[in-house]
Amino acid sequence: MEALGLDVLLNGTNALRLLGGLWVSVQVALISVLLSLPLGMLFGVFMTWKNPVAKVISRLYLEIVRIMPQLVLLFVVFFGATRVFGINISAELASIIVFTFWGTGEMGDLVRGALTSIPRHQYESAEALGLSKPQIYLQVIIPQAMRQLIPTSVNLITRMIKTTSLVMMIGVVEVMKVGQQIIEANRMVSPNAVFGIYGTILFLYFIVCWPLSMLASYLEKRWAVA
Amino acid sequence: MSEPTNANTAAFEPLLRIEHLRKVYGEHVVLDDISLEVAQGEVIVIIGPSGCGKSTFLRCINALEPIQGGTILLDGQPVSAEAKNIAQIRQKVGMVFQSYDLFPHKTVLENIILAPMKAQKRKREECVAEAEKLLERVGLLDKKDAFPRQLSGGQKQRVAIVRALAMHPEVMLFDEVTAALDPEMVREVLDVILDLAEQGKTMLIVTHEMSFARAVADRVLFFDEGVIMESGAPEEFFSHPRTERAQRFLRTFTFDAVKHHAPTSDEPAPLFDD
Ligand SMILES: Nc1ncnc2c1ncn2[C@@H]1O[C@H](COP(=O)(O)OP(=O)(O)OP(=O)(O)O)[C@@H](O)[C@H]1O
Ligand SMILES: [Mg+2]
């Protein structure tokens, strides 16, 4: 135990504190994901519009999301908002804003990909059968798009959860920050805690993300259309 | 005795009346002033070189393409991509495409009953019963719970035909439905269409299978460069095509027997060559 630095976990409320930190991470991720999914669906449909203005906006948004490191976005929103607009937002709120901004862009691109991957003759044969536009989308297009979308968006969700480890940089006391605090406090007594604690955090992230990635590959197999 | 006027006018009014149809893509005139009347129960076969507008013509009849001139009347009702009740009009026209276009996420049975249930609001049990009867007729009842990916190309096309028939269309359009099939599967699909012809279904068929065209057609239309170059009874058309274009087109389907020449000069010259 001591060699691995796991003993610190059993000291006082350390284990509970770590779990509390994990809960903060999961909360930030969960709220961002819940906001990103519907917004991303809307954005994805918007991205399929042929209107040139819509195209430029979609393109610009997606490029910003892709190019800007999440850490820079966090700094811009958290410190920038305070300085420039004089509004004081909490670090948690800033994190949720950035993650939702990011998630909506990525989700939108997944939705766009799913919608455009459905061959034109699927629309046409449904039309030829005399189905109405809403019926075509509800019965033919969306079910097929979903089959492609769910595995890829589960992957996006795990990426979002993992990336929440960045939010400690703007002062959110999430699992990484709690871990750091525990390590600092025990540096003298138990120098190996640095391994034990970070190892535990690694394990916690694994516990949260692994079922999701299993789910994704299960759905991918189950819905494979070939 | 008074004439049964209803029956009489019905006999004179064609099921499908197309007048001066014009279809343009940008500068390119794809269909130019096409007029055609199709009677109830008539089987029309359309042939012609690639790119002459056969597919486009069928797609116009189903309002999958907007047209730039002329009128299409089905049962006296205008067919137009802009019409508000276009979904209803399309229910009267069944279409089967060259590409296999079954819905991959639905079973064979679900593919067939989807449109009757959703678009025609018919009862599920009734639709299932009819679907099973139709599947049995094309020899695929045992595949009703299979997914399209589990079927061969020929089986998929037979299901696609059944799916269109389940809507009780007044006219069926077939666009080269066997063109993507392996040769040994062509027959099973064509047999289904022949069967429909025997039952008196009104059909417009685009095909490159000439002996099938000859067997199934009441009338053959030869399209070239967006116009109907020639039209007539199949025996007449295939044995004595009038236009030079049609003659040339039909020649591409026949092969002269190969004459076996002496292959190379190092062979001794034939003795009887004098
Ligand atoms: N969406 C489109 N945009 C522009 N041109 C098109 C479009 N669809 C078809 N065309 C053109 O219209 C012409 C007729 O095409 P169509 O598909 O009707 O020919 P076809 O007779 O069915 O040929 P094939 O035997 O190869 O199937 C072709 O020259 C084609 O290039
Ligand atoms: Mg064609």
Side-chain angles (χ1 to χ4, degrees):
Chain A
M1 284 291 258
E2 243 157 85
L4 292 175
L6 286 169
D7 52 323
V8 202
L9 275 178
L10 304 173
N11 289 353
T13 55
N14 279 354
L16 265 183
R17 280 176 64 202
L18 217 50
L19 283 178
L22 182 71
W23 177 234
V24 172
S25 311
V26 168
Q27 259 181 321
V28 169
L30 203 68
I31 296 173
S32 311
V33 164
L34 287 181
L35 289 171
S36 298
L37 291 183
L39 290 174
M41 302 252 176
L42 293 179
F43 179 53
V45 173
F46 178 74
M47 285 178 88
T48 62
W49 287 10
K50 300 217 164 54
N51 180 315
V53 179
K55 276 192 165 157
V56 170
I57 295 174
S58 314
R59 188 65 200 267
L60 212 63
Y61 178 21
L62 195 63
E63 288 293 318
I64 291 172
V65 167
R66 290 267 162 88
I67 291 169
M68 296 279 274
Q70 280 88 26
L71 189 57
V72 176
L73 283 175
L74 282 171
F75 278 19
V76 167
V77 171
F78 184 59
F79 299 114
T82 323
R83 286 286 142 72
V84 178
F85 303 109
I87 32 173
N88 240 321
I89 55 173
S90 70
E92 284 82 359
L93 181 60
S95 310
I96 289 168
I97 291 173
V98 166
F99 277 73
T100 305
F101 176 77
W102 172 45
T104 300
E106 294 280 3
M107 186 66 198
D109 199 40
L110 295 180
V111 171
R112 181 202 55 78
L115 285 177
T116 51
S117 75
I118 292 167
R120 203 171 66 118
H121 58 73
Q122 285 286 314
Y123 291 85
E124 287 189 342
S125 56
E127 274 182 63
L129 283 168
L131 292 167
S132 67
K133 268 265 145 59
Q135 286 168 342
I136 293 173
Y137 273 90
L138 235 54
Q139 299 293 331
V140 178
I141 305 304
I142 292 176
Q144 288 186 61
M146 276 308 202
R147 279 165 165 73
Q148 184 180 335
L149 196 59
I150 288 179
T152 51
S153 49
V154 172
N155 282 333
L156 173 64
I157 293 170
T158 49
R159 271 201 293 149
M160 287 173 75
I161 294 174
K162 281 190 296 191
T163 317
T164 52
S165 55
L166 289 178
V167 303
M168 74 168 190
M169 303 300 285
I170 57 170
V172 178
V173 186
E174 43 67 80
V175 64
M176 281 294 279
K177 190 72 197 174
V178 174
Q180 238 175 27
Q181 289 167 350
I182 295 174
I183 292 163
E184 290 292 313
N186 294 280
R187 206 168 37 190
M188 297 303 162
V189 230
S190 158
N192 285 347
V194 73
F195 180 79
I197 295 295
Y198 285 143
T200 307
I201 292 174
L202 198 71
F203 180 69
L204 289 177
Y205 269 113
F206 178 77
I207 291 292
V208 173
C209 293
W210 188 61
L212 283 173
S213 90
M214 291 298 286
L215 177 71
S217 60
Y218 167 74
L219 292 175
E220 224 159 335
K221 273 202 209 90
R222 183 164 153 213
W223 285 341
V225 171
Chain B
M1 257 174 67
S2 65
E3 294 284 332
T5 46
N6 261 350
N8 249 0
T9 47
F12 282 106
E13 183 57 33
L15 179 62
L16 181 67
R17 181 199 292 275
I18 295 162
E19 279 173 338
H20 309 297
L21 170 60
R22 187 178 156 81
K23 170 73 200 175
V24 184
Y25 284 118
E27 300 277 281
H28 184 185
V29 181
V30 178
L31 296 173
D32 191 11
D33 195 24
I34 300 228
S35 295
L36 176 70
E37 291 185 359
V38 182
Q40 176 82 48
E42 201 176 7
V43 177
I44 307 271
V45 166
I46 301 170
I47 61 174
S50 180
C52 66
K54 305 179 296 289
S55 299
T56 308
F57 182 60
L58 291 191
R59 294 165 58 82
C60 289
I61 297 174
N62 210 357
L64 288 174
E65 298 285 345
I67 59 177
Q68 281 72 45
T71 51
I72 301 171
L73 293 178
L74 177 67
D75 244 354
Q77 272 192 308
V79 176
S80 124
E82 287 93 41
K84 262 215 215 81
N85 60 339
I86 185 60
Q88 254 140 28
I89 296 169
R90 282 196 184 119
Q91 292 173 24
K92 298 185 183 180
V93 185
M95 184 157 181
V96 184
F97 301 81
Q98 171 181 341
S99 57
Y100 316 128
D101 53 1
L102 297 178
F103 305 131
H105 60 298
K106 292 187 181 291
T107 64
V108 165
L109 191 71
E110 289 166 345
N111 261 279
I112 298 168
I113 64 176
L114 174 67
M117 278 174 55
K118 299 294 170 189
Q120 293 179 330
K121 311 272 181 248
R122 279 152 59 192
K123 284 211 196 66
R124 189 188 167 88
E125 308 84 72
E126 178 201 324
C127 297
V128 169
E130 184 182 4
E132 287 177 347
K133 215 160 68 197
L134 287 168
L135 279 174
E136 178 146 43
R137 227 168 68 194
V138 301
L140 289 174
L141 187 53
D142 56 326
K143 298 284 184 200
K144 68 177 173 153
D145 295 319
F147 281 91
R149 64 174 175 276
Q150 299 165 312
L151 303 183
S152 73
Q155 292 171 333
K156 280 186 222 178
Q157 287 301 58
R158 283 185 278 160
V159 172
I161 295 172
V162 166
R163 185 175 67 174
L165 287 175
M167 293 295 285
H168 304 159
E170 295 186 22
V171 51
M172 285 285 288
L173 312 175
F174 294 91
D175 190 4
E176 295 194 44
V177 290
T178 59
L181 294 181
D182 289 337
E184 71 269 21
M185 291 172 189
V186 168
R187 185 68 202 225
E188 65 191 43
V189 176
L190 296 184
D191 279 341
V192 171
I193 302 176
L194 279 167
D195 190 37
L196 290 174
E198 263 164 38
Q199 289 166 34
K201 199 94 202 157
T202 314
M203 299 191 279
L204 278 82
I205 303 168
V206 172
T207 185
H208 282 301
E209 303 283 337
M210 290 305 145
S211 52
F212 167 70
R214 205 174 178 139
V216 79
D218 293 319
R219 191 154 37 126
V220 176
L221 305 182
F222 175 67
F223 270 51
D224 196 20
E225 294 182 344
V227 299
I228 301 178
M229 286 287 278
E230 204 168 323
S231 147
E235 309 77 44
E236 176 72 18
F237 174 79
F238 285 110
S239 1
H240 308 289
R242 289 189 306 273
T243 57
E244 201 267 323
R245 293 252 194 192
Q247 289 162 11
R248 194 144 33 97
F249 175 74
L250 288 176
R251 267 205 300 279
T252 62
F253 290 89
T254 55
F255 296 91
D256 293 325
V258 177
K259 300 198 183 60
H260 292 274
H261 295 290
T264 49
S265 55
D266 56 19
E267 297 251 348
L271 295 173
F272 44 82
D273 190 0
D274 50 14

